[in-house]
Amino acid sequence: MTLQEIFIQNLKFYRKQKGLTQNELTLRIDKSYNYINGVEQKKSFPSPDVIERIANTLDIQPYLLFMENGCHENAMAFNADDYIDKITTTLCQRLKEDICREVQEAFGKHKN
């Protein structure tokens, strides 16, 4: 998922959570007619100052609009299998390191 797609999903989520239509949000951030519709349709992307105005209007911190798991829809897109693979790899590596250390200590004790 691209950063723009993440932004759009989060924007839609927080806008709807606030109970605002696209047009109502557009008016509150002092932009021209259908501005938010254009953003949500990937036709344009807001500048940093507009992102700040959007966040202020939605009563959220601006960074929440860019968080991959910032809203329910993005959290549901989270790939659990990839996460499980990453954790498994990390745990296996740690286990291997622990076993190697134990074996080295055991052989080191027998050498004396």
Side-chain angles (χ1 to χ4, degrees):
M1 187 177 301
T2 68
L3 186 62
Q4 184 177 18
E5 291 167 337
I6 291 167
F7 180 89
I8 291 168
Q9 283 193 351
N10 287 330
L11 174 61
K12 288 178 182 180
F13 173 79
Y14 289 114
R15 177 179 59 75
K16 290 175 183 178
Q17 187 178 47
K18 189 77 173 171
L20 297 173
T21 65
Q22 291 176 337
N23 220 20
E24 289 169 332
L25 180 56
T26 296
L27 293 172
R28 290 191 186 189
I29 62 169
D30 197 31
K31 295 303 279 181
S32 62
Y33 182 74
N34 275 342
Y35 178 81
I36 294 296
N37 179 270
V39 170
E40 290 185 2
Q41 296 299 316
K42 278 179 117 172
K43 294 176 183 171
S44 63
F45 195 80
S47 64
D49 66 309
V50 174
I51 291 169
E52 192 168 9
R53 282 190 272 160
I54 290 170
N56 288 336
T57 302
L58 298 176
D59 294 321
I60 61 171
Q61 293 295 317
Y63 75 89
L64 290 174
L65 293 166
F66 295 96
M67 293 200 45
E68 193 165 0
N69 297 318
C71 72
H72 178 72
E73 288 83 1
N74 287 339
M76 295 308 291
F78 172 73
N79 189 333
D81 289 335
D82 288 346
Y83 186 66
I84 290 168
D85 289 344
K86 183 178 178 180
I87 290 175
T88 301
T89 301
T90 302
L91 290 175
C92 286
Q93 182 63 36
R94 288 181 186 170
L95 183 58
K96 181 180 177 181
E97 290 168 3
D98 288 345
I99 291 170
C100 286
R101 190 172 31 257
E102 290 295 323
V103 168
Q104 288 173 349
E105 287 178 16
F107 284 120
K109 290 179 184 177
H110 291 315
K111 287 182 181 180
N112 293 334

